[in-house]
Amino acid sequence: MAGGSAFTEQILSTGGRLELQPDAIERLMKACDKLADDMENLARRARLELGVDEFGLGERHPNLHSAQQLAQKFRSKAIGGSGIDSENTAVGLFTSHRDHALEMKAMLQRVLDAYRAQEASTIGNLEGIGIDE
């Protein structure tokens, strides 16, 4: 949301013009939903496909400790664990992108709601002084 606020402030402070097209905002919101769904699907796939018990590196062999460690490192990097922060994993990355898309959609919804409220108010004011739309 800070990025959206900074963008708006930049436009307003430079005397630029900010135009809003409600149908474009609605399309952007749908794109945010699609991106969020895609990222959730990728996170789910990463959990299933990369969080496996065996990678085929020989990690089941009791004497191949390096293979066991490598398999654990792959698993941790994919889904988390072993001290790896969530945002540094495949699942964490996809989840972060999903969350950002949903935050962007929420910000766009607030902008659209404010626009529609202002438009309704303006129409009401114009009708109040006898001017038709």
Side-chain angles (χ1 to χ4, degrees):
M1 187 159 82
S5 296
F7 172 74
T8 303
E9 284 299 318
Q10 173 68 23
I11 294 290
L12 297 176
S13 69
T14 60
R17 220 175 123 164
L18 183 61
E19 293 184 21
L20 178 68
Q21 296 176 347
D23 59 324
I25 297 294
E26 289 172 352
R27 286 193 309 272
L28 285 170
M29 290 169 53
K30 286 179 184 174
C32 288
D33 277 336
K34 171 91 170 83
L35 178 60
D37 288 346
D38 289 349
M39 291 298 112
E40 182 60 36
N41 289 335
L42 286 171
R44 187 178 307 111
R45 279 186 60 195
R47 280 186 208 95
L48 291 173
E49 296 176 19
L50 301 175
V52 297
D53 291 332
E54 188 170 352
F55 288 95
L57 304 169
E59 64 270 27
R60 294 280 183 206
H61 194 281
N63 295 328
L64 290 177
H65 301 291
S66 61
Q68 294 163 6
Q69 292 169 347
L70 184 59
Q72 180 56 40
K73 187 170 278 198
F74 284 156
R75 195 174 303 105
S76 296
K77 196 67 175 154
I79 62 172
S82 295
I84 296 177
D85 293 332
S86 176
E87 61 269 8
N88 292 327
T89 67
V91 170
L93 176 68
F94 297 136
T95 301
S96 173
H97 285 312
R98 181 207 62 206
D99 293 347
H100 184 72
L102 293 175
E103 289 168 8
M104 181 66 83
K105 179 187 175 192
M107 186 223 21
L108 290 168
Q109 184 65 60
R110 289 190 301 274
V111 167
L112 190 57
D113 291 346
Y115 172 83
R116 288 181 173 151
Q118 182 60 50
E119 183 177 44
S121 175
T122 301
I123 289 170
N125 290 339
L126 292 174
E127 288 172 345
I129 60 172
I131 300 175
D132 292 331
E133 289 181 52

